[in-house]
């Protein structure tokens, strides 16, 4: 029962993280390139005020619940949950050391002016954003596999019992 709850929390947290990153990559990112630069900088700076605590919480919840699942399971399930943990951690590290320093610069540019190489720096932010979105998505996929796959150490009991199951049940009744 605990494994099922942990798996549900891990799937939910990682799914929300992936969805938030995905929305940014698919909707916000391209839109930012179509609006005037000052509008982009102002909106980006304001967005980061709320995004920072929300995304840090989502990343922590995804990583910790995936790690808890890895601890509670074994075999292939443990490997998949461990992989999800590492990928979620990678999303955090990419964010912390890639996006966050650029966010700080964007915040400054919003009240001053952007440097001449701003487009190159913003493209680098987009690259980091695609990287962290990809790592979060792969982590989510790994957790979905743990939820839908039947592993050797676990049986689904739908339909008719197998011959060994019937023999075991008869032994129990006897």
């Amino acid at each position: 029962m605990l494994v099922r709850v942990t798996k549900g929390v891990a799937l939910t947290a990682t799914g929300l993280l992936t969805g938030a990153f995905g929305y940014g990559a698919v909707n916000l990112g391209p839109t930012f390139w179509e609006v005037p630069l000052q509008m982009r900088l102002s909106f980006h700076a304001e967005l980061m005020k709320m995004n920072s605590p929300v995304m840090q919480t989502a990343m922590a919840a995804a990583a910790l619940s995936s790690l808890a699942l890895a601890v509670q399971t074994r075999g292939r399930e443990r490997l998949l949950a461990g992989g999800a943990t590492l990928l979620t951690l990678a999303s955090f590290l990419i964010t912390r050391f890639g996006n966050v320093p650029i966010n700080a610069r964007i915040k400054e540019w919003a009240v001053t002016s952007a440097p001449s190489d701003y487009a190159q720096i913003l493209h680098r932010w987009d690259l980091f954003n695609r990287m962290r979105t990809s790592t979060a998505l792969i982590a989510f996929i790994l957790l979905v596999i743990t939820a839908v796959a039947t592993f050797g150490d676990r049986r689904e009991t739908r339909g008719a019992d197998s011959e060994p199951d019937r023999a075991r049940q008869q032994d129990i009744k006897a």
Side-chain angles (χ1 to χ4, degrees):
M1 178 67 174
L2 181 60
V3 170
R4 290 180 67 178
V5 170
T6 304
K7 193 175 290 186
V9 171
L11 277 167
T12 301
T14 308
L16 289 171
L17 178 66
T18 302
F21 281 153
Y23 178 82
V26 172
N27 294 311
L28 288 178
T31 303
F32 278 157
W33 290 104
E34 299 301 322
V35 298
L37 178 62
Q38 195 55 43
M39 181 184 290
R40 175 191 181 152
L41 298 177
S42 297
F43 182 79
H44 192 114
E46 281 302 310
L47 181 64
M48 291 309 113
K49 287 179 185 176
M50 183 56 75
N51 247 17
S52 181
V54 169
M55 296 308 289
Q56 286 180 35
T57 302
M59 285 185 276
L64 292 173
S65 58
S66 296
L67 178 60
L69 184 61
V71 169
Q72 293 172 11
T73 56
R74 58 184 188 271
R76 290 186 192 131
E77 238 177 327
R78 176 175 279 172
L79 291 175
L80 292 168
T85 303
L86 293 175
L87 287 163
T88 305
L89 180 60
S91 291
F92 170 77
L93 294 172
I94 292 165
T95 301
R96 177 63 190 97
F97 296 109
N99 296 94
V100 169
I102 297 173
N103 289 342
R105 293 177 76 181
I106 290 171
K107 187 177 177 181
E108 291 174 20
W109 302 345
V111 294
T112 60
S113 64
S116 59
D117 64 342
Y118 77 88
Q120 180 183 4
I121 296 167
L122 293 176
H123 279 292
R124 194 172 22 183
W125 189 95
D126 284 344
L127 173 65
F128 290 132
N129 192 47
R130 285 189 301 274
M131 289 169 57
R132 70 186 182 172
T133 301
S134 297
T135 55
L137 175 61
I138 296 167
F140 181 62
I141 291 168
L142 293 179
L143 291 172
V144 167
I145 292 169
T146 69
V148 300
T150 303
F151 297 98
D153 58 324
R154 190 175 72 191
R155 287 183 192 263
E156 287 195 51
T157 57
R158 291 196 179 117
D161 291 332
S162 66
E163 194 63 39
D165 287 338
R166 271 185 252 131
R168 195 172 314 122
Q169 288 173 359
Q170 287 176 354
D171 288 341
I172 292 170
K173 288 178 185 176

